[in-house]
């Protein structure tokens, strides 16, 4: 089904198949980026397999999803998240055990601008930022990862975490405040107002 939606001429397709193709084109890169952010950049083949499973599951109930959700991202990302959990479970590992170190590396790069820290190749800076991130709670790191690494919206992050968008916003705010106040990062921070962008507002 996924290959049929993704490939081939549009002239031979039914209205439902054309709608699937439009949906696939609209979300394929966001789903890919999300899956890679969760599995790690070195696991591209695994990411392709998970994306394939995600789209197959989604398209199997496409009409039901369209009738239920105004924003199809609200069902696509939870499906992808479940397929990622299945991926690690089949390998006898949890996501945290399999990719914790790589997650912190990606998270460090993702949140550095939010903390007023210039991103460069400094080993000590990267190590200290990861140490500061390790001081946060798991939920705070997860919210930061979904929002600033996977680039999910507040609403999408809230649905994946099972909390309200307002709680996501508060969690992100507390996490970034802790990072900006961390003595581990004090010597790296730029003057106030530089190195941050609108995603944490």
């Amino acid at each position: 089904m996924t290959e049929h939606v993704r490939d081939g001429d549009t002239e031979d397709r039914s209205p439902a198949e054309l709608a699937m193709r439009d949906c696939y084109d609209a979300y394929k890169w966001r789903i890919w980026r999300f899956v890679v952010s969760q599995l790690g950049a070195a696991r591209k083949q695994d990411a392709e397999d998970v994306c394939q499973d995600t789209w197959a599951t989604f398209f199997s109930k496409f009409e039901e999803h369209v009738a239920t959700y105004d924003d199809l991202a609200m069902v696509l990302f939870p499906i992808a998240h479940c397929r990622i959990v299945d991926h690690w479970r089949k390998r006898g590992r949890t996501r945290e055990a399999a990719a914790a170190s790589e997650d912190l590396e990606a998270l460090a790069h993702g949140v550095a601008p939010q903390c007023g820290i210039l991103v460069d190749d400094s080993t000590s800076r990267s190590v200290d930022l990861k140490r500061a991130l390790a001081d946060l709670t798991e939920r705070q790191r997860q919210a930061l990862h979904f929002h600033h690494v996977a680039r999910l919206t507040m609403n999408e992050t809230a649905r994946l975490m099972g909390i309200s968008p307002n709680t996501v916003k508060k969690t992100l705010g507390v996490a970034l405040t802790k990072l900006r106040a961390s003595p581990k990062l004090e010597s790296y921070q730029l003057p106030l107002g530089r190195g941050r962008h609108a995603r944490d507002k």
Side-chain angles (χ1 to χ4, degrees), residues 136-145 161-163 167 171:
L136 302 179
T137 66
E138 177 61 28
R139 186 163 85 158
Q140 288 168 345
R141 287 194 298 272
Q142 186 179 48
L144 288 171
H145 191 101
M161 296 183 67
I163 57 180
T167 301
T171 301

Side-chain angles (χ1 to χ4, degrees), residues 38-66:
Q38 299 298 293
L39 297 186
R43 300 182 178 87
K44 292 293 179 66
Q45 184 57 57
D46 288 343
E48 289 181 8
D49 293 341
V50 168
C51 285
Q52 182 79 3
D53 289 345
T54 297
W55 285 110
T57 302
F58 173 73
F59 286 139
S60 70
K61 296 184 178 180
F62 180 71
E63 292 183 358
E64 179 181 330
H65 295 322
V66 170

